[in-house]
Amino acid sequence: MLSRLNFRNISSQLKAVASCGIQTTAVTSSNVPRPKRPIEAPPVRFGFIPDEWFHFFYPKTGATGPYVFLTTFSTYLLSKEWYILEHEYYGGICLLSIVLYASYKVGPKLATFLDKKIDEFEGDLNASKDEVIQGQKDAIDNLEKEKWYTEGQLMIYDIKKQNIMMQLEASYRENLTTVYTEVKKVLDYHAQIDNIDRRIAQKHMVQWITNSVLKAITPEQEKANLLQCIKDLESLSAKA
């Protein structure tokens, strides 16, 4: 009987699996919160009935409503022979009892073991993720350092450029000083030559005038001048 029910529910199970499949289409932006997969399984009663089904009856029928509905619905199915108690029913009860017993006895230990394995697997995944994140952070830090080095190289380039400009300016000023010194030497040389030429010309002029004057004085004029000088001295001595 249970196998027949399972075969009847294959289509609904496939629809459920299809609805829970991997989403491959692009998600459109909306204000609907993104659904999250629950970590813990929802609570159940009797080992397989979801607890939320019971809460559905509480506002209308109270706390006993779900149990009354379950009892009356089961009695209706059995009385109308829609659900026949054949050998598969008793085999299903035995199998269900074994499963429930195993779940109560072995379930907590198995759940603890599986949770531990899941935590280890999650820890490994987080460790690999943290390593990747740390690697990306290190890469970002290296890029920031390279950027800082590049900016430093630009500063060094500007400093070298300023140094070259200062050297060119110093060389230019040194060349100007050299040109000024050489030009001053040439000008001083020409000034000295002009002074020497002027002194030589003046000396020759004075000598020429003196020689011309001496040549122009005759012996008679010289004798007359000498007599005139003697007379002047005598007159001066008489007055004294």
Side-chain angles (χ1 to χ4, degrees):
M1 181 61 68
L2 293 174
S3 62
R4 293 177 185 176
L5 291 175
N6 290 331
F7 280 114
R8 290 176 183 176
N9 294 330
I10 286 177
S11 60
S12 61
Q13 292 175 1
L14 291 176
K15 291 180 181 179
V17 171
S19 63
C20 296
I22 299 174
Q23 184 177 3
T24 57
T25 58
V27 180
T28 57
S29 59
S30 62
N31 295 326
V32 179
R34 185 175 181 180
K36 294 182 180 180
R37 183 178 180 181
I39 298 176
E40 301 292 339
V44 295
R45 296 189 184 184
F46 302 108
F48 65 98
I49 301 176
D51 188 63
E52 59 183 8
W53 292 6
F54 290 85
H55 290 282
F56 175 76
F57 289 93
Y58 287 166
K60 297 180 180 179
T61 61
T64 59
Y67 303 101
V68 174
F69 173 76
L70 181 61
T71 303
T72 54
F73 185 69
S74 300
T75 303
Y76 175 75
L77 293 177
L78 293 175
S79 63
K80 295 298 181 178
E81 293 185 354
W82 287 4
Y83 187 81
I84 301 173
L85 301 179
E86 54 186 9
H87 63 281
E88 292 183 357
Y89 170 74
Y90 299 103
I93 291 178
C94 294
L95 182 61
L96 180 62
S97 62
I98 292 172
V99 171
L100 292 177
Y101 179 78
S103 64
Y104 282 119
K105 291 296 183 180
V106 185
K109 296 181 180 179
L110 181 61
T112 304
F113 175 76
L114 293 178
D115 290 339
K116 184 178 179 181
K117 291 296 182 181
I118 290 172
D119 292 336
E120 292 178 356
F121 182 71
E122 185 179 2
D124 294 337
L125 293 178
N126 290 329
S128 61
K129 181 187 71 174
D130 294 337
E131 290 179 358
V132 173
I133 293 174
Q134 187 63 34
Q136 296 299 325
K137 288 182 179 179
D138 294 337
I140 292 172
D141 293 337
N142 292 329
L143 290 176
E144 292 293 335
K145 289 181 180 179
E146 292 295 332
K147 181 180 177 182
W148 183 71
Y149 291 155
T150 304
E151 293 177 354
Q153 291 295 328
L154 293 176
M155 294 176 64
I156 293 173
Y157 173 76
D158 293 335
I159 293 171
K160 289 182 177 179
K161 183 178 179 181
Q162 295 295 330
N163 288 333
I164 293 172
M165 293 178 65
M166 292 176 65
Q167 291 176 3
L168 293 175
E169 183 68 21
S171 178
Y172 173 73
R173 292 178 180 274
E174 184 177 358
N175 293 332
L176 285 180
T177 304
T178 303
V179 171
Y180 170 77
T181 304
E182 295 298 328
V183 171
K184 186 175 182 299
K185 288 181 180 180
V186 173
L187 293 176
D188 292 340
Y189 172 74
H190 287 289
Q192 290 176 3
I193 290 176
D194 291 338
N195 292 328
I196 291 171
D197 292 339
R198 192 180 297 110
R199 286 199 298 269
I200 292 173
Q202 185 179 5
K203 182 179 179 182
H204 284 289
M205 182 63 70
V206 170
Q207 188 175 1
W208 177 75
I209 292 171
T210 302
N211 292 331
S212 297
V213 171
L214 292 176
K215 288 179 180 180
I217 299 173
T218 60
E220 292 80 6
Q221 291 177 351
E222 186 176 359
K223 185 176 179 180
N225 289 331
L226 181 60
L227 292 174
Q228 184 65 33
C229 289
I230 292 171
K231 289 178 181 180
D232 292 334
L233 290 173
E234 288 177 354
S235 61
L236 289 173
S237 62
K239 290 179 181 180

